[in-house]
Amino acid sequence: MTTSAQRHRFVYAFAEGHRDWKDLLGGKGANLAEMTNLGLPVPPGFTITTEACRHYLETGHEPPQLRDELVEHLTALESRMHKRLGQADDPLLVSVRSGAKFSMPGMMETVLNVGLNDESVHGLAEQSGSQRFAFDSYRRLLQMFGKTVLHIEGSHFDDAMADAKRRADVSDDLELDADDLARLVDEYKVIITRHSGQEFPQDPTMQLRMAIHAVFESWNAPRAVSYRRQERIRSELGTAVNVCAMVFGNLGADSGTGVAFTRDPASGARGVYGDYLPNAQGEDVVAGIRNTLPLSEPERTDQRSHGELLTIMATLESHYRDLCDIEFTIERGKLWMLQTRIGKRTAAAAFRIATQLVDEHVIDLDEALTRVTGTHLAQLMFPSFEDSDARERLTTGIAASPGAAVGRVVFSSTQAAHWASNGEDVILVRRETNPDDLDGMMAARGVLTSRGGKTSHAAVVARGMGKTCVCGADELAVDERSGHLTANNGVVINEGDTLSIDGATGEVFVGAVPVTPSPVTRYFAGELDPTEAHDDLVTAVHRLMRHADHRRRLHIRANADTPEDAMRARRMGAEGIGLCRTEHMFLGERRKAIEDVILASVGIDGTADQEAALESLAPLQEADFVALLTAMDGQPVTIRLIDPPLHEFLPDLTELAVHVAVADERGEELTHTRHLLTAVRRLHERNPMLGLRGVRLGLVIPGLFTTQIRAIAEATVQRIMAGGNPRPQIMIPLVGSVQELELAKDQARAVLREISERTGVPLDLPIGTMIELPRAALTAGELADAAEFFSFGTNDLTQTTWGFSRDDVEGSFFSAYLEKGIFGVSPFESIDTEGVGRLVGLAAAEGRSQRPALELGVCGEHGGDPDSIQFFEHAGLDYVSCSPFRVPVARLEAGRAVVRNETVSDDR
Ligand code: PEP
Ligand code: MG
């Protein structure tokens, strides 16, 4: 957006900027410029660009011309304000604030009141008519400068303040008088000299330059770095610095400061919301040192400023065409705007506001789709706790994995597994979890930890499992050994007591809070009629879903193995099944049959009767497929031939070995068990993820695939005879070479031909392959010769591309990798576009160039992930397939992907 001439400047007056120049001026600077140009009352100032920051961080020095530009803009500001920075008798004071392209709330630094020194503090006292105000402003500068610029521990200043209050026998800063504050100023100066080895600089220009450098440096403060990692903000962007003439909200009862939203960011309700703090500076609102008042307060005390504020908010909302949040200050009855930006909002507010703005003719439905996300929608689909005053909140931690879980507290994973096996709902509480806690986490309804952030082990693993988790609840002292936890209000929770944890808000409640199902999920399940406007959230979701369906190009299928799941998926809007994992049909009692088939393949006498086992399976499979094809009648059903991890379908090696060892000891014969042990030993794999699976199993164990194909064919014939419209597709798993595919396909064609000839029903079923190995992706052109469709198995493709097994790594080093920033997000959650995604793109292109009508889909878990869906739209796939519960998210994201491709670019 900038011209090349502009690129060589490092400083822009607010009036020279533009809201679209966020790359250069940061979000705050760009919006200050916009407000200035709208004629709103913004205190004058200028913005130092992100380019200057990048230069400083790369070289350790300002760009050489920055000094001159700074002087030039400062001089202009001084002449506009009719006073000089730090002028002894009437000082111009400035604020120095960070402001990056993407909002990083509270992560970087601010220094206020720059320009005060031992002389100008008296000038300020004179001009303001208040000694108290002048010394309060000076001590604030010393404190912020000391902490931010000179890196002095904040507690030194806090301790001195606490002493001052004790001496004066007061509890509130506001009660300290001018003398108390003047003494505090002296003490702060001593603290600065003692802890930094240098005196507080009295030269105002020196203060300004040091403050600017400190703000540049705060881009790389540890908390900012980890925030960026979590939010996936690129670390090379740098921050801009805004230098702005100070206005004061702490000049007495006719002054104050506040934050406000043009609509309620929690519910989305129309109207103005916010907090106001009389006689205070902005920092006081954020620090929460005094209770804020509602925005109606200035209406009572200063009608003119309040009226002006409302007019400005309306102007901003119609200008930005979205919910805005603002910061303002009233200085002796004069309103000043200090900041605005598009306001953050909850998921429910996002949907409501988007449709309100459509109704108000501010945006169209396409734009409304860009204002909501699949992640928002997913949040709305979890059950939640009933809102009631009776809830007793124990604490609030970090919302790490959504959901509402209620259970009895246990402090060890062994206990969690033990209680859960007795049918108890448990909440596993740990200081932090580690790989040994996996069983306990799996058994628990929810996980609560007192340490660790969103990338901690607990958070990562719980999200992977879809388990509710609140982490980092650091107000809880967890004593795992003696089995209790203590909240900072003294409440003690013992093992066996009940807690309720809310993974969407991070709240923890004492006792069992009633859970309500989500109205949005009930709507998707067909239980609520969206046209009966009992809940405007449901209506908003319905409208945007309809538009997403209208706009999307990608089809959405579901991963489902049972008729119940298939029906549920259909209600949620699925247009077929993208993956039926047939090995899931062989759990429980049927597992033994597969075990027999596999064991018999080793050829050790008497272990199992393969033919009998297959025969017993055939009618069961046929009935399975009839039911599934009935539930999905008229829609494609991709049936993947069996792909079991071998160890899950074999007797346990250790148990057998122990059995035999005991028999040896007792001199018992146990011939069958010994044969079994030999067979299991032969089949035992160190690494089942990379072993005899998928097509490999189908090719070495005769009869396995053909039994399934026969069942598919017979079920199809049955459905056709019954007047149905079955559309099965046969999918071969874990193919790495075209020869494998051709051999499996030959088996399939032979069976289909035979049954078609016998029944007279044409059976021209599509046969395709999964692409879940790098070799398959790299030889996609050849595979496309033999395959009528590809379905990307991005779970295995991620494992095999990275060379790690999900079961092993998610619980061990993933949290460390996320913390170190090696991953922005787990590659199992969101597709690794540079690596795995590249293979997907390559295979899609080569496959299509060989066979233009090749159908392309994805059935790994990424098929339901919002970011990944954006990628699959780009890659030109025909459909994504995901679990039934995520189908609505996929529909919405697929619609958004089309609209966003046409409009938005974002280089986060
Ligand atoms: C895949 O690998 O992405 C896939 C869908 O198969 P599964 O998860 O069953 O291995
Ligand atoms: Mg797979």
Side-chain angles (χ1 to χ4, degrees), residues 559 579 581 583-584 640 643 693 731 734 770-772 791-799 858-862:
N559 294 357
L579 174 63
R581 290 181 165 102
E583 63 278 10
H584 287 180
R640 179 178 77 185
D643 178 15
R693 293 177 48 186
M731 181 154 76
L734 214 77
M770 295 200 59
I771 303 286
E772 45 190 346
S791 178
F792 291 97
T794 47
N795 301 334
D796 274 311
L797 193 57
T798 301
Q799 301 197 94
V858 59
C859 63
E861 276 177 49
H862 304 89

Side-chain angles (χ1 to χ4, degrees), residues 468-622:
T468 302
C469 175
V470 172
C471 61
D474 54 10
E475 290 175 354
L476 302 179
V478 175
D479 188 338
E480 290 162 353
R481 205 168 282 189
S482 52
H484 70 268
L485 66 87
T486 314
N488 67 347
N489 60 2
V491 172
V492 175
I493 302 289
N494 291 303
E495 181 175 82
D497 292 348
T498 299
L499 283 184
S500 301
I501 64 171
D502 188 333
T505 63
E507 290 170 298
V508 179
F509 301 100
V510 179
V513 177
V515 174
T516 17
S518 140
V520 173
T521 301
R522 290 184 58 211
Y523 148 68
F524 283 125
E527 293 167 23
L528 286 184
D529 180 351
T531 55
E532 288 171 18
H534 31 59
D535 185 335
D536 61 344
L537 177 60
V538 169
T539 317
V541 169
H542 174 65
R543 286 176 69 185
L544 293 179
M545 289 306 295
R546 265 202 339 212
H547 189 62
D549 285 339
H550 167 66
R551 291 292 265 134
R552 70 184 156 86
R553 186 193 60 77
L554 280 169
H555 288 277
I556 313 297
R557 296 190 195 175
N559 294 357
D561 324 313
T562 64
E564 295 75 29
D565 268 358
M567 297 297 283
R568 184 171 306 127
R570 257 194 130 145
R571 280 195 297 271
M572 298 266 181
E575 299 156 305
I577 291 179
L579 174 63
C580 163
R581 290 181 165 102
T582 53
E583 63 278 10
H584 287 180
M585 294 167 158
F586 300 113
L587 300 173
E589 282 173 8
R590 298 192 199 173
R591 202 192 69 92
K592 180 77 175 72
I594 294 292
E595 180 185 306
D596 284 352
V597 173
I598 296 171
L599 283 172
S601 72
V602 181
I604 293 173
D605 279 354
T607 43
D609 180 345
Q610 189 177 57
E611 230 159 84
L614 285 173
E615 256 167 45
S616 73
L617 284 177
L620 301 173
Q621 273 275 266
E622 192 177 316

